[in-house]
Amino acid sequence: MRDRLLECFHSVFAAQPGASLLSATPDTIADWDSTRHFLLLQSIEEEFEVRIPERTAGELLSFADFENYLQSKLSSV
C-alpha cells in the first residue's frame, strides 16, 4: 500500500524526491496548495477505490495522515 500511495504523491508532486515524500506535509512542500491537495485526493481515491469525505479530506495533511487513514479504511473492508 505504501508504494501505491507514494506513487499518488509522486504523480502530484513530481519535482520532489521520492524519499522526501514519506515525510511530506504542506509545510515541507512549497507547492502543496489547495489545488494540489484536491488532485492528490482524486489520485488516492482513484488508486485505492475509496471515497474520502470532505470533512476528513481537510484533516489529511501529511503522507502519514493519508497512510493511517487508508490503513484504517481498508482494514475495515
Side-chain angles (χ1 to χ4, degrees):
M1 179 181 70
R2 178 174 270 196
D3 290 340
R4 290 169 57 202
L5 182 57
L6 193 55
E7 279 301 313
C8 294
F9 268 76
H10 193 264
S11 71
V12 175
F13 304 111
Q16 299 296 315
S20 72
L21 292 174
L22 294 173
S23 59
T25 70
D27 293 332
T28 62
I29 297 180
D31 58 351
W32 187 328
D33 57 16
S34 59
T35 301
R36 289 193 189 261
H37 189 79
F38 179 76
L39 293 172
L40 180 60
L41 288 166
Q42 283 186 314
S43 177
I44 291 169
E45 287 179 334
E46 184 177 306
E47 175 66 27
F48 292 94
E49 298 179 351
V50 297
R51 171 75 177 99
I52 301 172
E54 190 174 329
R55 69 179 184 279
T56 302
E59 298 171 1
L60 302 174
L61 296 174
S62 69
F63 184 93
D65 289 346
F66 279 101
E67 187 173 42
N68 292 334
Y69 175 80
L70 289 170
Q71 286 175 341
S72 68
K73 184 80 170 170
L74 298 176
S75 69
S76 66
V77 174

